[in-house]
Amino acid sequence: RHQFNITNALKRFDCSLINFKLDQLKKLLELLGEDCLRTVYTECVNIVSKHLNEQYQRSTKIINCCLDEENGLTESEIEQYYSDIQNAKAADKMRKVHLDTSLVVESNAYEQNIKSLLKDMLESINKKRIDDVALKKSMDKMKLIGDYFEEAKKYYDDAREYLESQFQKSVKSL
């Protein structure tokens, strides 16, 4: 029954219910020490761990693909990534108490991923000519990400400053 409740709660990503059920199972296991409880608890932990890792893999794959130069980024895609981060943050307490921390991705891995992608985008922008048509697409992506992630605004501002300086150099050379 606990396993069924946990599986259903994962579909809704109800971390408080999942954590509550895992806490119950763990207490029962500590009190009764029965092998069948250990098996159920272990299976539940494995299900949750697998779900969290799959969510991270799916989410980062999508956002990484969207941030490739030739692809576009929609608001719904960045909203989903942001939502996945919030879910991962909600699972952090459960991760520390019940899950194998070496096997389950931490919530900050999402943010590290987006920072790495933004850094790469900024480096790419800094190598482009001011008349490159891909610049607008990259800048639009950075701006959209900045609407959801405060730290991303710095990358957008840095890119904007670079483009402004390149434009001024261009004008002076005329």
Side-chain angles (χ1 to χ4, degrees):
R1 181 177 170 191
H2 285 285
Q3 192 169 358
F4 176 77
N5 289 335
I6 288 171
T7 303
N8 282 334
L10 272 173
K11 292 175 187 172
R12 300 183 309 278
F13 214 86
D14 185 347
C15 277
S16 57
L17 179 59
I18 297 166
N19 198 43
F20 176 74
K21 290 298 181 182
L22 287 174
D23 284 344
Q24 280 185 328
L25 277 171
K26 190 174 186 177
K27 286 177 186 170
L28 281 172
L29 180 60
E30 289 169 358
L31 289 172
L32 303 175
E34 294 190 18
D35 286 339
C36 64
L37 286 173
R38 186 176 330 285
T39 301
V40 170
Y41 178 76
T42 302
E43 286 175 3
C44 288
V45 164
N46 290 338
I47 289 168
V48 172
S49 297
K50 181 180 177 191
H51 179 82
L52 292 173
N53 286 329
E54 285 174 351
Q55 176 183 300
Y56 175 78
Q57 294 302 320
R58 177 186 39 78
S59 189
T60 55
K61 181 180 178 183
I62 290 168
I63 203 74
N64 292 357
C65 182
C66 290
L67 292 182
D68 277 347
E69 258 186 40
E70 58 274 354
N71 297 326
L73 174 68
T74 65
E75 192 164 353
S76 66
E77 290 161 334
I78 197 69
E79 282 175 355
Q80 182 60 54
Y81 192 77
Y82 183 80
S83 175
D84 289 345
I85 291 173
Q86 300 312 308
N87 288 342
K89 284 180 178 180
D92 276 346
K93 179 185 172 195
M94 174 178 42
R95 182 185 169 278
K96 291 174 185 163
V97 174
H98 296 286
L99 310 179
D100 184 343
T101 56
S102 67
L103 298 177
V104 180
V105 176
E106 293 182 53
S107 62
N108 66 3
Y110 287 87
E111 292 164 347
Q112 289 170 351
N113 180 62
I114 201 86
K115 284 180 192 176
S116 174
L117 293 169
L118 287 167
K119 183 180 174 222
D120 292 346
M121 284 178 72
L122 182 59
E123 287 175 8
S124 175
I125 287 171
N126 289 341
K127 293 176 184 174
K128 289 186 183 344
R129 293 174 32 116
I130 191 119
D131 60 348
D132 190 328
V133 292
L135 279 175
K136 181 179 179 346
K137 196 178 212 182
S138 294
M139 292 298 291
D140 288 345
K141 289 177 187 181
M142 284 183 132
K143 176 132 179 45
L144 181 58
I145 294 167
D147 291 343
Y148 288 85
F149 301 96
E150 190 63 34
E151 287 187 36
K153 290 179 182 179
K154 175 193 166 300
Y155 291 95
Y156 177 76
D157 290 341
D158 289 349
R160 199 182 74 236
E161 285 176 22
Y162 170 76
L163 292 175
E164 187 177 312
S165 72
Q166 290 302 104
F167 180 74
Q168 288 174 359
K169 284 179 188 177
S170 236
V171 169
K172 286 180 183 178
S173 70
L174 295 176

